[in-house]
Amino acid sequence: MIRTAIIGYGNLGKGAEAAVAAAPDMELTAVFTRRNPEALQVQTPCVPVYAYAELAKKAKDIDVVILCGGSATDLPEMTPEVAKLCTVVDSFDTHAHIPQHFTAVDAAAKAGGNIAVISTGWDPGLFSIARLYANIALPSGTDYTFWGRGVSQGHSDAIRRIPGVKDARQYTVPVKEAVDRVRNGENPVLTTRDKHTRECWVVAEEGADLEAIRQAIVTMPNYFDEYDTTVNFISEEELLRDHAGLPHGGSVIRSGVTGWDGEYQDTVEFSLKLDSNPFFTGSVMTACARAAYRLKEKGETGCRTLFDIPPALLSDRSPEDLMAHLL
Amino acid sequence: MIRTAIIGYGNLGKGAEAAVAAAPDMELTAVFTRRNPEALQVQTPCVPVYAYAELAKKAKDIDVVILCGGSATDLPEMTPEVAKLCTVVDSFDTHAHIPQHFTAVDAAAKAGGNIAVISTGWDPGLFSIARLYANIALPSGTDYTFWGRGVSQGHSDAIRRIPGVKDARQYTVPVKEAVDRVRNGENPVLTTRDKHTRECWVVAEEGADLEAIRQAIVTMPNYFDEYDTTVNFISEEELLRDHAGLPHGGSVIRSGVTGWDGEYQDTVEFSLKLDSNPFFTGSVMTACARAAYRLKEKGETGCRTLFDIPPALLSDRSPEDLMAHLL
């Protein structure tokens, strides 16, 4: 059994916990938190909860850590810190900063004699893998990524920071006409506005200026100003009743050509439709934790991404089983 | 430059040739044929054509062979034969016989000190990869594979063998209602007949008994008897005008659940829409040839499938480039 620990017990940590419980070759041995460990009740029976500061002391009894922190501030610091102590996987998803994160984590993992697999999950993660295979099959072509319909936590948080907002949920919605044009092989040039719309469900505080909130949302730089955004005000009851879930998904589409003069038009598409983003992400991370453990067992050290990992290493099934049933 | 040879110059060999020509790190150094080499005109300038029997003599000047024979009779014999001499990739696609093919090729490749990558292309190949990633992400779920709309060469050939048939083209067509039910997460139990229909376009010889041909097709065991099959008789001109291409495609869909009680329903789908099956397959084989060469350069030997190959090895782009642009 692969002795697995989880750091961070938010939605993602809970998703990873369920996935580890379902894995026949893994067991959850500890949860680490930066909150008060005694206030935290985990689902798996008999699993101790420790303060994050205890990790160094417990590291020798852990084969791999699933690090369930956020990309904005937690992971840039924590993944290198953990990689010095244990083999670790994270879901660092700030695409532009992945190369520098890789460099920092690689140095730490090598120093600690561990493996670290970064940027796992679905984007980056399975979507990256889909982009890579589509690119090797169709070197001449164009990549498109559409996200949604799904809840963006970052955008929901940004709305919550606006004065007068009590709670909010933001859905990223792909524009159907744009997706259809890409699927039809039209190779359209699409602006940010052409590809996605943003749909906001907002609970305002009593007496708040709704029009001011609406303006603050739709003009917010980076988050909303380049999109067509709709803002709907609802009651707290409605938000809890209709928008409690964290669904997500999307499509990676590559449209390209083969043949001597590009005479053949091909389309490769990978898509996800997820009821729960954190539970799916936790499941992918758990498979990556298995692969990380196996790479470490082979004596390898340093940072990896899914691009570096033979797919069979991610599965608990034997090579013979995979060849007979999935190949 | 990776010195690449192609064995077999049918549709697939021509597809591989175009893909090698487009690869910045590969060059075509020879084409081998079991037909008369002098009767064969290849597209790439200045590339010699040799008899297949010459391979042993030329092997030292070849880094990797793309073996473009058929799965029924060519590859079971040829892939082990070639693997003793050169690093090689094939597209062996008789799913039930892959394990025994693997064993035979593995022994030959090890004896020759070479790498062999078998069962590349899209099914087996990219579809297998999609099944594997979908399975690691959703260990609890059901796999569905739909093929088409596309030309099945095997079924077209089977029709051509019926007395009175001059030429024929058979399309495999997925049943839209079945695909929709799977995409909706209904997890239906589907029979062979539920999943695909077969559409035949037949040129009969003059005076042939059309009803006898139709009966021979729709009752043919394994090929047609378990399907709803439509038979259309057309002229040779119409066949050449409307059915000259070899389009294909399809979808791999996994429908599964996450969460403690399977409370979250997810769908993962990978799909292809191809104008030319052999040119796309040739392109995937070419990327696999690159990976095979690299594994051999690392000193590895034996048989591999796409399940064993780190995805980055398939690409001509640097790890830094892939991380910055595709991850």
Side-chain angles (χ1 to χ4, degrees), chain B:
Chain B
M1 297 291 267
I2 303 171
R3 298 168 306 168
T4 310
I6 290 170
I7 300 178
Y9 199 68
N11 290 320
L12 183 56
K14 288 172 186 163
E17 184 188 19
V20 171
D25 55 340
M26 301 173 78
E27 61 182 349
L28 186 64
T29 55
V31 171
F32 293 86
T33 179
R34 287 176 300 179
R35 293 181 274 172
N36 174 13
E38 280 156 37
L40 205 148
Q41 184 72 45
V42 304
Q43 291 279 310
T44 315
C46 310
V47 167
V49 180
Y50 301 117
Y52 175 59
E54 302 285 295
L55 181 64
K57 268 196 285 186
K58 307 288 181 189
K60 69 174 188 343
D61 299 320
I62 297 167
D63 292 320
V64 61
V65 168
I66 302 175
L67 181 44
C68 298
S71 295
T73 54
D74 299 343
L75 300 179
E77 206 170 288
M78 289 173 79
T79 311
E81 214 166 80
V82 175
K84 279 183 197 152
L85 304 170
C86 293
T87 282
V88 60
V89 301
D90 79 12
S91 64
F92 185 76
D93 67 359
T94 314
H95 287 260
H97 297 157
I98 289 175
Q100 71 195 65
H101 187 58
F102 184 95
T103 303
V105 174
D106 190 51
K110 281 176 177 156
N114 294 311
I115 284 285
V117 183
I118 61 162
S119 301
T120 71
W122 59 274
D123 196 3
L126 298 191
F127 270 22
S128 321
I129 285 289
R131 283 187 283 263
L132 179 50
Y133 282 105
N135 272 266
I136 65 101
L138 294 176
S140 173
T142 311
D143 289 316
Y144 297 87
T145 303
F146 294 97
W147 296 275
R149 186 175 191 260
V151 172
S152 164
Q153 305 257 46
H155 288 78
S156 301
D157 289 344
I159 299 172
R160 283 189 205 102
R161 286 192 292 265
I162 296 170
V165 171
K166 198 170 174 187
D167 204 351
R169 197 62 50 110
Q170 194 268 187
Y171 295 88
T172 306
V173 185
V175 175
K176 190 179 175 309
E177 292 68 32
V179 179
D180 287 346
R181 289 185 63 197
V182 172
R183 282 188 183 140
N184 288 341
E186 294 178 32
N187 267 312
V189 175
L190 299 170
T191 65
T192 297
R193 194 177 300 275
D194 293 334
K195 285 190 281 189
H196 298 92
T197 58
R198 300 200 172 277
E199 183 187 301
C200 311
W201 301 86
V202 180
V203 180
E205 280 165 4
E206 223 177 289
D209 178 345
L210 302 190
E211 184 50 28
I213 291 173
R214 204 191 68 77
Q215 275 301 323
I217 294 172
V218 302
T219 60
M220 196 185 296
N222 303 318
Y223 284 88
F224 293 100
D225 62 340
E226 291 178 52
Y227 298 86
D228 289 335
T229 301
T230 55
V231 179
N232 310 279
F233 291 96
I234 55 174
S235 70
E236 192 158 21
E237 294 69 42
E238 287 170 310
L239 191 84
L240 292 172
R241 188 191 67 204
D242 302 333
H243 305 282
L246 294 168
H248 220 313
S251 296
V252 164
I253 308 175
R254 185 165 176 85
S255 177
V257 292
T258 62
W260 287 96
D261 301 307
E263 63 263 47
Y264 303 117
Q265 163 73 46
D266 298 339
T267 308
V268 179
E269 176 166 354
F270 178 77
S271 60
L272 294 174
K273 203 169 68 180
L274 310 175
D275 268 2
S276 168
N277 182 356
F279 274 74
F280 186 82
T281 303
S283 186
V284 176
M285 291 184 81
T286 298
C288 292
R290 173 185 295 119
Y293 166 77
R294 289 172 171 176
L295 291 171
K296 166 82 180 281
E297 287 293 291
K298 286 186 184 186
E300 298 190 20
T301 65
C303 190
R304 303 286 186 276
T305 73
L306 274 166
F307 289 171
D308 308 309
I309 298 179
L313 279 193
L314 298 160
S315 175
D316 64 289
R317 295 163 67 176
S318 70
E320 294 72 25
D321 183 11
L322 296 177
M323 193 185 298
H325 297 108
L326 296 183
L327 196 69

Side-chain angles (χ1 to χ4, degrees), chain A residues 94-134:
Chain A
T94 313
H95 286 261
H97 298 158
I98 290 174
Q100 72 196 63
H101 187 59
F102 184 94
T103 303
V105 174
D106 191 50
K110 281 176 179 157
N114 294 311
I115 284 285
V117 183
I118 61 161
S119 301
T120 70
W122 60 273
D123 196 3
L126 298 191
F127 271 21
S128 321
I129 285 290
R131 283 187 283 264
L132 178 52
Y133 282 105

